[in-house]
Amino acid sequence: MSRQDTRSKVFAAAIELMAEQGYTATTVEAIAERAGVAKGTVFYNFGSKEGLFGALLEHSIGRLAEALAAADTGGTALEALDSVVLGQLLFFEEHGPLARVLLAEMWRTAWQEAVAQLREQALGVYAAVLRRAAAAGEVRADLDVETAATAVFGMVLTVSIERRALYPDRPVQRTHATLAELLHGRIR
């Protein structure tokens, strides 16, 4: 098994366990057991539980940012915004435990680098789309795009978690339509 395969297995196990029981209650032993690797393998690859979580956040936020950027299909800025919202919903549909971990764990002061990465990369996609929309006159020219980007990302994150937990049979497209309607009504 390659080092990247091992890291992927450990990341998957860590995300699942942290989503189930939280960062503090999750042990390296439990992560190693779930990943099917030796505890020493976790330490060899990441140095510590904190190192593992930092690497996990960096990796996951990078993947999320790539998914959001790829979802920007062009067209009008509002069409792009709708596409990015759908891209985030679909990403968290596939990576539901990550959504719970991001919401619950990453805002601790110990993870400020990850928060900065999230702001720059993932929320940056939303901010860029909103800037395009303001420049094109599709949204209010005085829109605070940084705050709006954070609000949209947080709204989609929270709704993704709720849909998976409470309404798993609700189609993602229905949820997306509701979010798009809300957004269009508030930012114009």
Side-chain angles (χ1 to χ4, degrees):
M1 178 182 316
S2 75
R3 184 166 190 219
Q4 187 56 41
D5 290 341
T6 299
R7 288 173 67 90
S8 294
K9 286 176 69 173
V10 171
F11 283 160
I15 282 283
E16 289 171 4
L17 285 166
M18 289 176 194
E20 291 168 11
Q21 59 195 25
Y23 173 81
T24 304
T26 300
T27 64
V28 171
E29 292 82 4
I31 293 168
E33 183 179 322
R34 180 149 319 170
V37 300
K39 181 171 111 173
T41 300
V42 176
F43 287 115
Y44 173 77
N45 279 278
F46 303 103
S48 65
K49 182 172 123 176
E50 293 78 17
L52 164 61
F53 192 58
L56 172 70
L57 288 175
E58 182 179 321
H59 172 77
S60 300
I61 291 168
R63 290 185 62 207
L64 171 60
E66 289 170 5
L68 295 180
D72 181 349
T73 59
T76 70
L78 285 181
E79 289 169 345
L81 179 63
D82 291 348
S83 296
V84 173
V85 167
L86 180 59
Q88 185 180 346
L89 283 168
L90 293 173
F91 183 86
F92 287 133
E93 176 67 15
E94 184 177 343
H95 305 284
L98 174 62
R100 289 194 307 276
V101 169
L102 285 178
L103 190 62
E105 302 294 343
M106 82 170 280
W107 304 105
R108 297 172 189 240
T109 55
W111 311 119
Q112 290 309 299
E113 285 184 34
V115 171
Q117 180 188 3
L118 178 70
R119 169 154 290 294
E120 179 183 327
Q121 294 180 5
L123 276 66
V125 174
Y126 278 113
V129 169
L130 290 167
R131 278 190 206 91
R132 281 190 350 236
E138 294 180 63
V139 300
R140 297 186 333 258
D142 66 341
L143 182 69
D144 175 352
V145 297
E146 299 300 327
T147 300
T150 301
V152 173
F153 179 85
M155 174 181 71
V156 178
L157 175 65
T158 303
V159 168
S160 295
I161 293 167
E162 180 192 54
R163 192 190 75 70
R164 285 180 56 89
L166 301 177
Y167 310 106
D169 295 331
R170 180 179 294 158
V172 171
Q173 291 74 13
R174 179 175 163 205
T175 301
H176 176 252
T178 300
L179 292 175
E181 185 178 326
L182 285 169
L183 282 172
H184 289 236
R186 293 305 307 158
I187 62 175
R188 285 192 174 166

